[in-house]
């Protein structure tokens, strides 16, 4: 079947990134959460993660100032909260309260963990050279926490306009790659 031209503005939907995550920050006695799907692994160990944080977001300035955050990974049961968190700003909303989420103490950074998320990665900001041009931040993961959920972890993957792909089955293929 012939292929159709695909709008460049929608290319991101084809290159589906990893799971949608919730980035938490803390500054001057206030915490905040933003939803993020534009992130990528850059190195194995220590784990280095690149992520794009819009300069219109409240998180952008807080991340630059505090140089730390937690990447929290939600599961599909939290999807409505994730969309709500990604549609409101910490400038005017206390998102932990609004979305009934529980902040937990991290051990390396001041930003809180989200207890309801199945995994939490405590990160520091190690490189902002891409921030001015691409809103690109490079994070180093110092501590990682995971609640064992068995083989299937139903994370959500953003496909645009409120559509999400939900992780389901896992297949294993003999391989030597990491
Ligand atoms: C599913 C989803 C994914 C998102 N991914 C990103 C992203 O990768 N980068 C970004 O800057 N904003 C992203 N957003 C938008 C921010 O979460 C949104 O602007 C949020 O209100 C920022 O919060 P803040 O102003 O409290 O920091 C996403 C929103 C949703 C719902």
């Amino acid at each position: 079947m012939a292929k159709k031209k695909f709008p460049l503005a929608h290319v991101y939907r084809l290159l589906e990134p990893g799971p949608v995550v919730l980035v938490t920050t803390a500054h001057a006695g206030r915490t905040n959460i933003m939803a993020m799907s534009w992130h990528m692994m850059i190195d194995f160990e220590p784990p280095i993660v690149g992520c794009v944080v819009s300069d219109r977001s409240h998180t952008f300035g807080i991340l630059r100032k505090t140089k730390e955050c937690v990447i929290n990974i939600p599961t599909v049961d939290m999807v409505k909260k994730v969309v709500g968190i990604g549609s409101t700003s910490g400038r005017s909303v206390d998102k932990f309260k609004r979305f009934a989420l529980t902040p937990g103490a991290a051990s390396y950074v001041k930003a809180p963990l989200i207890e309801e998320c199945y995994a939490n990665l405590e990160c520091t900001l190690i490189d902002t050279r891409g921030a001015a041009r691409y809103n690109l931040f490079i994070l180093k993961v110092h501590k990682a926490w995971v609640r064992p959920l068995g083989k299937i972890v139903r994370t959500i993957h953003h496909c645009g306009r409120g559509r999400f792909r939900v992780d389901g089955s896992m297949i294993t293929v003999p391989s030597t790659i990491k």
Side-chain angles (χ1 to χ4, degrees):
M1 196 190 285
K3 286 180 184 151
K4 285 195 313 187
K5 211 166 164 189
F6 193 71
L8 293 181
H10 295 177
V11 164
Y12 77 96
R13 297 184 190 177
L14 300 175
L15 284 179
E16 182 205 350
V20 179
V21 299
L22 296 173
V23 176
T24 47
T25 47
H27 180 56
R30 289 182 61 193
T31 56
N32 191 33
I33 318 174
M34 79 167 270
M36 185 176 79
S37 54
W38 286 14
H39 57 79
M40 64 181 275
M41 286 307 301
I42 292 179
D43 207 348
F44 287 110
E45 205 175 347
I48 306 292
V49 180
C51 59
V52 173
V53 177
S54 164
D55 55 7
R56 292 190 304 267
S57 71
H58 185 51
T59 300
F60 183 91
I62 303 297
L63 192 52
R64 283 197 95 140
K65 255 186 224 142
T66 62
K67 299 191 168 28
E68 56 174 47
C69 66
V70 178
I71 294 176
N72 303 272
I73 309 179
T75 40
V76 64
D77 48 302
M78 296 175 69
V79 68
K80 284 191 180 150
K81 294 189 184 201
V82 169
V83 172
I85 287 164
S87 315
T88 48
S89 175
R91 287 189 192 92
S92 51
V93 175
D94 176 340
K95 297 194 210 178
F96 271 98
K97 269 209 184 111
R98 163 85 62 98
F99 299 102
L101 293 169
T102 316
S107 68
Y108 194 86
V109 298
K110 290 197 183 71
L113 312 182
I114 299 177
E115 295 292 4
E116 288 79 1
C117 287
Y118 100 94
N120 318 87
L121 313 176
E122 298 185 37
C123 303
T124 58
L125 181 58
I126 59 167
D127 196 330
T128 56
R129 278 173 291 182
R133 186 146 186 190
Y134 300 113
N135 294 338
L136 176 66
F137 292 90
I138 309 296
L139 304 171
K140 176 176 170 180
V141 181
H142 295 266
K143 295 261 178 188
W145 310 98
V146 176
R147 187 185 311 129
L149 290 183
K151 255 194 177 164
I152 295 174
V153 177
R154 304 192 74 213
T155 50
I156 53 172
H157 301 251
H158 193 218
C159 303
R161 304 206 171 164
R163 289 181 310 135
F164 295 85
R165 204 167 278 139
V166 181
D167 246 11
S169 57
M170 170 103 70
I171 59 166
T172 308
V173 178
S175 159
T176 53
I177 58 171
K178 228 179 186 184

